[in-house]
Amino acid sequence: MRGMMKSTLVVLFLICGLAHAQVIKSFEGIDASQVGSPKNDVDPNGAVGTLQYMEWTNVYFQAYDKLSPHAAVWSAPQPGTLPFQTNNMQNCTSVGGDGIVTFDHLASRWIIAVRSNPGTNSYYYCVAISNTDDLRSSSLSWYTYQFPLNPVLGANSQGHVYWPDWPRWGTWSDAYYVNFDLNDVDRSYLAIGVVVCALDRTNMLAGLPPNPMQCFSDPNPIPAHGSLYLRHSLIPGDIEGVVAPPAGRDEYLVSLQNPPFDGKTTTAHTINLWDFHIDWANPSNSTFTNSALAVTPYIQGCYDLAFPPYTICVPEASTIQTHNPIDSVGDRLMPRFAYRNFGTYESFLVSHTVQLTASNQRTGIRWYELRGSGTPAIYQSGTINPKTYFKLYRFMPSMAQDKDGNAAVGYSVSSSLTHPGIRASWWNLPNHTAPVEKGIQGGGGDEENAKNWGDYTSMTVDPVDDCTFWYVNQYFAQNETGNQINWNTRIANFKVPSCR
């Protein structure tokens, strides 16, 4: 298995008028064998910086040189608590899942953000910001922050604080933004609402005490006994490239609008757009508003009329024997909500898993581009469903675009005849070209002892050439059975040949 550490080159040909050679390079990322007490919920994500690529899996991080042979920066993956323990952040010594690694393109800094649960009924959000873009620097250190969440999360009728699930991060010029789903721990972690917070990016980048975070909830006020919330899992806009949004530009977030939980409706036809206006000088002027965007009707991936949050239907090659499908996480949009300022227009991209037909649960990838100098609106959309691989389920996507408007989306694939693997598609947004799908990593086994399939992946773009896409996802080199946990992750990079 470790022999897979060697980079592999897969030469691919793009058919778009003329044939151009495209090379997808990939190498092994963090594997379960490298970390202590690995979990089934892998949550593979990462980002590319100026010199390295950094990856997170629950609950460890590792960085790799961008240039081949992609040597690891540290001798072993580092525990997610390390930056906080080093700085004596006592409330960040018990970090849990849903960690995020990202690179602030405008400031050239690394960020690690993760939820912490230091005691019963107690929650913090822990953020570490590097003092340099070079993770090999002898002077590398981290500015660390522990934000108490209890005051903004609300509590149920038993007095138990709502669980801050699935935090999503966005870098904007005026703040860092993060969303938390509010889950009721006494009702099988039922999602009853969301809280979105703005963090003081300016002071945090300087290592200074931040202004108090500003937060809004939906519903407002947070109920003590909420019903199933149908527009959860907001994703904040996240800047790609080095051109900042126009001065004063509000942050935007998006989420799915799940259909009414009435036992019969499966199709939705809108997504939610959220406008977060922040005023650090006068917080009473800050606002958080919601509107709906009409989109091509869709059925969420693996939608279950009996319980919409149950999105488990993706088959593996072992499904016939073990009846163990895996989770598409099809009840939400998937990060990132990638923003790019082209000067003449602004573009946001996001994607999610959809059911391809009403009569068959097979899934594909729906994507949207939003544009607009004011409130962004749907500009174009499409669905990834190559007919050459018609039996595959495609799920768990992440999307970004380069400086030329080439979009790329990476995702997992699986079927009853195919072990879960990793693929990507790319196309040109301004020219409306057809997506071209290519393989990244074939799977060698199935996850037979759990239904988890991570919670998200990440596609990012190199801030140096602004062309090269970097993507990370999970797979299995061999079957995982019994009490074994033996997942693998793979990091790939490629660029569209026309991008220079």
Side-chain angles (χ1 to χ4, degrees):
M1 180 173 11
R2 302 311 304 166
M4 301 170 84
M5 287 293 290
K6 296 181 179 179
S7 297
T8 62
L9 299 183
V10 183
V11 181
L12 309 170
F13 293 92
L14 310 180
I15 302 173
C16 185
L18 297 175
H20 299 278
Q22 181 190 28
V23 176
I24 291 183
K25 303 175 183 178
S26 72
F27 59 96
E28 199 73 352
I30 301 172
D31 295 338
S33 63
Q34 298 175 315
V35 304
S37 302
K39 312 296 183 183
N40 285 117
D41 214 1
V42 183
D43 296 349
N45 72 97
V48 57
T50 51
L51 297 168
Q52 291 98 15
Y53 183 90
M54 186 153 65
E55 179 191 13
W56 172 280
T57 62
N58 281 341
V59 287
Y60 288 80
F61 62 93
Q62 178 62 283
Y64 306 88
D65 293 337
K66 282 164 54 176
L67 298 178
S68 183
H70 306 295
V73 170
W74 301 292
S75 59
Q78 304 295 288
T81 56
L82 181 62
F84 309 104
Q85 288 179 322
T86 301
N87 290 351
N88 197 31
M89 290 275 156
Q90 294 299 316
N91 293 306
C92 296
T93 58
S94 181
V95 301
D98 294 329
I100 296 167
V101 161
T102 191
F103 188 76
D104 184 332
H105 283 217
L106 301 183
S108 287
R109 302 285 193 84
W110 291 100
I111 299 164
I112 299 171
V114 62
R115 175 190 60 229
S116 179
N117 182 200
T120 303
N121 217 31
S122 175
Y123 304 105
Y124 284 77
Y125 199 55
C126 303
V127 180
I129 301 178
S130 68
N131 68 335
T132 175
D133 63 339
D134 185 2
L135 296 170
R136 287 193 179 276
S137 172
S138 59
S139 61
L140 171 67
S141 63
W142 299 89
Y143 304 136
T144 52
Y145 299 90
Q146 48 187 11
F147 293 94
L149 295 180
N150 282 36
V152 302
L153 295 177
N156 65 18
S157 56
Q158 287 77 43
H160 296 144
V161 178
Y162 290 122
W163 173 260
D165 195 29
W166 217 69
R168 297 298 93 205
W169 180 275
T171 296
W172 207 245
S173 51
D174 60 8
Y176 294 124
Y177 292 84
V178 60
N179 169 78
F180 302 95
D181 289 347
L182 302 177
N183 291 0
D184 191 334
V185 297
D186 294 309
R187 298 164 67 197
S188 301
Y189 289 84
L190 181 75
I192 60 90
V194 296
V195 165
V196 182
C197 297
L199 311 182
D200 183 0
R201 175 176 176 268
T202 299
N203 281 357
M204 292 168 70
L205 283 170
L208 299 174
N211 285 303
M213 61 182 181
Q214 295 188 34
C215 302
F216 290 91
S217 72
D218 189 61
N220 183 25
I222 298 171
H225 188 82
S227 58
L228 177 63
Y229 186 75
L230 298 175
R231 49 189 186 185
H232 57 84
S233 305
L234 280 61
I235 303 177
D238 191 36
I239 294 172
E240 203 88 79
V242 294
V243 180
R249 181 72 155 133
D250 287 354
E251 168 70 303
Y252 289 90
L253 305 89
V254 286
S255 71
L256 280 190
Q257 179 60 52
N258 288 274
F261 183 28
D262 57 10
K264 59 183 179 180
T265 305
T266 60
T267 302
H269 52 79
T270 62
I271 63 174
N272 291 290
L273 181 70
W274 307 79
D275 182 334
F276 198 142
H277 172 74
I278 192 75
D279 188 331
W280 289 110
N282 189 355
S284 63
N285 289 335
S286 297
T287 58
F288 182 64
T289 56
N290 168 252
S291 59
L293 299 175
V295 297
T296 302
Y298 60 88
I299 301 173
Q300 294 93 315
C302 301
Y303 187 79
D304 188 331
L305 275 172
F307 189 54
Y310 186 89
T311 53
I312 298 168
C313 78
V314 176
E316 304 174 277
S318 63
T319 298
I320 295 174
Q321 290 78 32
T322 65
H323 305 289
N324 189 68
I326 51 179
D327 196 349
S328 74
V329 195
D331 64 332
R332 64 198 69 192
L333 293 172
M334 299 300 289
R336 303 167 44 249
F337 189 33
Y339 168 88
R340 188 176 283 274
N341 186 354
F342 286 97
T344 56
Y345 69 95
E346 299 170 71
S347 175
F348 294 83
L349 298 180
V350 73
S351 58
H352 65 116
T353 304
V354 296
Q355 186 171 314
L356 293 170
T357 67
S359 60
N360 188 305
Q361 283 194 310
R362 192 170 64 85
T363 58
I365 306 302
R366 172 73 63 83
W367 60 269
Y368 308 99
E369 182 186 15
L370 284 66
R371 291 190 186 182
S373 57
T375 302
I378 299 294
Y379 179 76
Q380 61 179 321
S381 65
T383 302
I384 306 296
N385 178 32
K387 298 187 184 305
T388 50
Y389 304 101
F390 63 92
K391 292 184 178 181
L392 284 178
Y393 285 62
R394 295 169 176 82
F395 61 107
M396 204 70 69
S398 182
M399 188 177 183
Q401 68 177 312
D402 66 19
K403 66 181 181 181
D404 288 349
N406 297 303
V409 59
Y411 41 87
S412 294
V413 297
S414 189
S415 77
S416 60
L417 301 175
T418 308
H419 300 303
I422 309 169
R423 289 180 173 267
S425 291
W426 73 268
W427 64 102
N428 186 269
L429 290 163
N431 295 329
H432 311 288
T433 60
V436 177
E437 182 180 65
K438 300 297 176 184
I440 291 175
Q441 177 68 41
D446 299 326
E447 184 180 42
E448 297 185 16
N449 56 358
K451 300 182 185 300
N452 307 79
W453 194 259
D455 274 335
Y456 46 93
T457 63
S458 59
M459 180 75 78
T460 57
V461 180
D462 192 313
V464 177
D465 67 11
D466 220 6
C467 287
T468 305
F469 294 97
W470 288 73
Y471 181 64
V472 63
N473 200 342
Q474 72 177 87
Y475 73 101
F476 286 85
Q478 59 189 17
N479 286 341
E480 181 181 88
T481 60
N483 295 322
Q484 297 176 357
I485 297 181
N486 54 258
W487 46 260
N488 302 70
T489 68
R490 197 76 178 174
I491 301 166
N493 66 84
F494 61 93
K495 70 177 181 177
V496 177
S498 59
C499 189
R500 304 293 182 187

